[in-house]
Amino acid sequence: ACPRCKLLIYSSFFFSCFFSKEKFWLEPPSETQRKQLEEELKLSGTNLKSHAWYHGHIPWEVSESLVLNHGDFLIRDSQSSQGDFVLTSHWEQKTLHFLIRKSVVQSSETYTRVRYSLEGEAFDSLPALVHFYVGSRAVLTRWSGAQIHRPVNRTLPLSYLETAFCTAVSTGGEARVCPRSVAPSPALSRRSDTTQSTQPSPNSTLHRQYNNISQPHLNQDSPSSETDGSCYTELYPGPQSYVERLRVEEVSVGVDPLRVEDGNVHFSPVVETVSSFKPSRYQSPLMPKENKPLEVGILRRVKELLAEIDPRTAAKHITKADCMVARILEVTPEVQRMMGVHSGMELLTLPHGQQLRLDLLERFQTMAIMLAVDVLGCTGTTEERAGLLHKIIQIAAELKSTMGNMFGFAAVMRALELPQVSRLEQTWMALRQRHTEGAILYEKTLRPFMKSLNDGRESCPLSNTTFPHVLPLLSLLEKSVAVGEGTEPWETVEVGVDVVMFHLGAARTIAQLGGIYRSNAESKLQGFQEQAEVLELFLTDFQMRLLWGSRGATENQALRYSKFDQVLTALSNKLEPPVRSQ
């Protein structure tokens, strides 16, 4: 991408990350609150607290400050109808609030159940309602035409939100949001028409204006006007943003990096310029100190190790290695101090996280190429290659469903989708004949899911995610080094802007949830006994040495990929020669 395009992408992303909270700003979660949130999200799926899109007792003002992008939504408790819920969404530059109707259905004399609906079909639970409207892209109501695409996940525990926004019911049965202490805050005016966006109004008290004209199908969740200023939300302007602090630190080059600001000790983050991968220094019992590209003996041992382990064990080793590189797992306080943030998931969204982004792109491509070599280097029978394809498909399924590792899943899927692999018609035919269930799994489940991830139409449940789908963000921010076949979803005119904005918005959420990903990864890997030789197979340093040799691994990246693309094509054509047109 041209420098101006990258600047526009960065500007859009950082604006949404740091300046969207000028209206309403909540304290970033403390470590204790992070742990409380993690515990809430680990609850059973039948418990509403386990769903990150449920924000509990937050006022409508706060909900409007959270749904910033087209298709964003969240669920909150109604302020005006105690016990009911409201769906707040952003659609076509407007913030909308929909009261979710509850109806009690008597199934028998002793048993009743509650159903939830907006306008049409009723559902047995709120998660069922959310899954339907997100998955089907059905309109919420006919009059609004609005849809919901992406949940805005809470970053604070419900226990804190309930304390921060205490609710008291007035004599009119209306809920009033009263902070525990009153402080000056930016004022807002709001019309009863939900299609009217909220605008700041400085130097005045918080109040709401209403239009008495009723509108059909208008689900409103608005208390009556408070003109005396006795009840308003406690909102404070945010402190100096992280980006602003970095700019100040850039001017302060040469100053002692350990400073005191407002009584707190701060360190300047270290801007990394060298890759964490050191293939030239890498030593392994699986290869000599110096090796040539694709040495037969090393390749044979790699195939033996892959054949010995089951797909789930392979997925666990891949996830462990992925999370280490991405700084999700085993991040020491010293590394956090150097990064300036708690998690690699936040670092990769920041300007000084470029080297981490580049390393993750290198890992993604190298993993995909190594798995492709494993298939294309199988010179046995077609059935043997089909069996190997089946195992790789199973590894992809384990990464997706069992481990919640969307990064590793995407890398394995890229290996299967490389043109040199996908063109092997005889091998894929043998897969359909010998491993029908694997072929169906790949064609009907994994490929559509991968496409939906890239298009921004699908996501992995937060409670199951160890490594979110960051590849689109990496490709957007580092387009000049991202390597892939064909155009990305955002490069087509029809969906370009929507998909770009979806992934930038998703990155804002991902940056805040590093603690949850770490907790999920630790939980899924608890008691896991890694095998040193197997783990080495999935280390990027080892893969670079295997593919390009001890000398070639340090060459220019674009040159390495270009040369190896030719190698893959030659291997593929040798297995199944192309049909020449007469």
Side-chain angles (χ1 to χ4, degrees):
C2 65
R4 183 181 177 187
C5 293
K6 291 185 73 173
L7 178 61
L8 287 173
I9 291 173
Y10 271 120
S11 300
S12 172
F13 176 65
F14 290 119
F15 181 85
S16 66
C17 271
F18 298 104
F19 301 108
S20 63
K21 296 180 181 177
E22 285 179 355
K23 285 185 193 174
F24 300 105
W25 184 81
L26 291 171
E27 277 284 348
S30 64
E31 192 61 33
T32 300
Q33 290 166 347
R34 288 176 192 269
K35 291 179 180 178
Q36 290 174 343
L37 177 61
E38 291 169 15
E39 292 303 316
E40 289 180 354
L41 297 177
K42 288 178 182 178
L43 295 171
S44 167
T46 58
N47 191 323
L48 199 55
K49 291 182 178 180
S50 70
H51 298 278
W53 40 254
Y54 174 58
H55 289 247
H57 296 290
I58 63 169
W60 62 262
E61 300 97 329
V62 175
S63 71
E64 290 190 344
S65 74
L66 296 175
V67 289
L68 300 171
N69 299 315
H70 184 69
D72 280 2
F73 76 93
L74 58 82
I75 302 286
R76 60 183 175 86
D77 294 340
S78 171
Q79 294 173 244
S80 58
S81 180
Q82 194 171 18
D84 287 334
F85 301 97
V86 174
L87 189 156
T88 299
S89 68
H90 192 87
W91 187 256
E92 294 182 346
Q93 299 181 347
K94 300 166 187 172
T95 302
L96 307 172
H97 302 269
F98 301 90
L99 184 65
I100 298 174
R101 299 188 180 98
K102 286 201 306 187
S103 57
V104 179
V105 179
Q106 188 163 357
S107 302
S108 65
E109 292 184 2
T110 58
Y111 176 71
T112 60
R113 58 195 175 99
V114 177
R115 307 207 75 195
Y116 303 87
S117 65
L118 289 171
E119 187 177 69
E121 186 176 352
F123 302 87
D124 291 330
S125 66
L126 282 179
L129 181 147
V130 169
H131 292 163
F132 170 77
Y133 283 104
V134 172
S136 67
R137 296 295 173 96
V139 295
L140 302 176
T141 61
R142 290 188 298 274
W143 70 265
S144 69
Q147 300 174 9
I148 55 175
H149 296 168
R150 188 182 71 87
V152 174
N153 296 323
R154 69 180 187 274
T155 58
L156 288 164
L158 290 173
S159 56
Y160 171 81
L161 295 175
E162 289 171 359
T163 303
F165 302 111
C166 61
T167 54
V169 180
S170 69
T171 54
E174 143 202 331
R176 300 173 57 184
V177 180
C178 303
R180 297 197 176 277
S181 60
V182 175
S185 64
L188 298 173
S189 63
R190 184 175 186 264
R191 299 171 62 91
S192 64
D193 181 356
T194 58
T195 61
Q196 177 69 31
S197 60
T198 314
Q199 298 294 335
S201 174
N203 303 320
S204 61
T205 57
L206 181 66
H207 64 282
R208 300 170 186 150
Q209 298 175 346
Y210 289 87
N211 187 334
N212 294 324
I213 301 174
S214 61
Q215 188 170 1
H217 308 294
L218 184 61
N219 298 320
Q220 195 65 26
D221 179 56
S222 306
S224 61
S225 176
E226 294 290 335
T227 57
D228 60 357
S230 61
C231 184
Y232 55 92
T233 309
E234 180 182 15
L235 301 167
Y236 300 98
Q240 184 185 41
S241 74
Y242 193 80
V243 171
E244 289 171 336
R245 187 158 68 82
L246 283 178
R247 288 174 180 159
V248 171
E249 290 168 358
E250 286 176 1
V251 178
S252 308
V253 175
V255 179
D256 186 350
L258 179 61
R259 307 188 314 281
V260 177
E261 297 176 5
D262 301 325
N264 295 320
V265 175
H266 295 276
F267 291 89
S268 299
V270 175
V271 180
E272 300 172 54
T273 57
V274 179
S275 173
S276 62
F277 305 132
K278 304 288 189 294
S280 60
R281 303 179 191 171
Y282 182 71
Q283 295 183 356
S284 166
L286 297 178
M287 62 175 59
K289 188 175 180 180
E290 292 188 3
N291 69 294
K292 296 178 181 178
L294 299 178
E295 282 195 9
V296 176
I298 305 174
L299 278 174
R300 186 183 299 114
R301 183 56 183 152
V302 168
K303 292 179 182 296
E304 290 172 354
L305 287 170
L306 286 175
E308 291 171 3
I309 58 173
D310 61 90
R312 180 163 298 182
T313 300
K316 287 187 175 183
H317 281 89
I318 292 172
T319 300
K320 176 71 180 290
D322 284 343
C323 290
M324 294 285 286
V325 172
R327 304 178 198 180
I328 294 172
L329 285 176
E330 300 184 19
V331 184
T332 65
E334 176 63 16
V335 172
Q336 290 178 336
R337 187 197 71 76
M338 291 175 63
M339 295 192 299
V341 290
H342 284 86
S343 170
M345 291 297 95
E346 186 173 0
L347 177 63
L348 65 82
T349 66
L350 298 172
H352 69 288
Q354 182 182 40
Q355 189 58 59
L356 177 59
R357 293 192 293 271
L358 296 177
D359 282 353
L360 287 173
L361 283 170
E362 175 79 79
R363 176 166 178 76
F364 173 80
Q365 296 294 345
T366 305
M367 177 73 76
I369 293 173
M370 191 200 77
L371 291 173
V373 165
D374 197 39
V375 174
L376 298 174
C378 181
T379 56
T381 64
T382 303
E383 287 72 19
E384 288 175 345
R385 279 197 302 279
L388 191 52
L389 271 184
H390 182 227
K391 187 162 191 176
I392 293 176
I393 290 170
Q394 290 178 305
I395 292 173
E398 290 289 342
L399 287 165
K400 169 186 174 289
S401 302
T402 305
M403 301 308 299
N405 179 0
M406 298 299 102
F407 182 83
F409 169 69
V412 176
M413 290 298 291
R414 174 60 64 91
L416 295 169
E417 292 171 349
L418 284 173
Q420 294 92 338
V421 176
S422 61
R423 66 169 291 276
L424 300 176
E425 295 182 6
Q426 297 173 22
T427 305
W428 287 97
M429 181 64 70
L431 175 75
R432 297 183 185 100
Q433 293 172 346
R434 299 296 183 99
H435 307 280
T436 307
E437 74 286 356
I440 293 174
L441 174 65
Y442 177 70
E443 295 290 345
K444 301 298 183 182
T445 302
L446 301 183
R447 281 187 69 187
F449 180 75
M450 186 74 252
K451 186 177 187 305
S452 295
L453 277 181
N454 287 330
D455 291 346
R457 293 184 286 108
E458 190 81 62
S459 62
C460 183
L462 179 62
S463 59
N464 189 54
T465 304
T466 58
F467 196 149
H469 188 51
V470 299
L471 188 64
L473 178 71
L474 301 178
S475 300
L476 280 167
L477 298 184
E478 305 297 339
K479 183 61 181 173
S480 60
V481 297
V483 179
E485 293 294 326
T487 59
E488 302 290 358
W490 47 83
E491 294 176 326
T492 60
V493 176
E494 295 80 5
V495 299
V497 175
D498 283 346
V499 176
V500 167
M501 292 310 296
F502 170 85
H503 289 300
L504 293 178
R508 186 180 71 243
T509 302
I510 288 170
Q512 298 171 326
L513 300 176
I516 293 174
Y517 302 134
R518 184 197 69 240
S519 178
N520 290 342
E522 289 173 346
S523 176
K524 289 180 181 292
L525 293 172
Q526 187 174 12
F528 168 59
Q529 298 295 323
E530 65 186 55
Q531 301 173 43
E533 284 191 331
V534 174
L535 185 63
E536 280 206 54
L537 300 186
F538 303 115
L539 297 180
T540 305
D541 289 295
F542 175 85
Q543 294 171 353
M544 293 175 73
R545 285 280 299 272
L546 171 69
L547 299 175
W548 291 287
S550 51
R551 295 184 181 180
T554 57
E555 285 187 8
N556 174 269
Q557 186 187 65
L559 183 62
R560 283 191 284 115
Y561 289 159
S562 175
K563 286 182 177 179
F564 218 90
D565 188 65
Q566 298 174 23
V567 172
L568 293 177
T569 300
L571 290 172
S572 179
N573 291 340
K574 186 177 180 180
L575 290 176
E576 294 186 23
V579 178
R580 296 182 179 180
S581 57
Q582 298 296 327

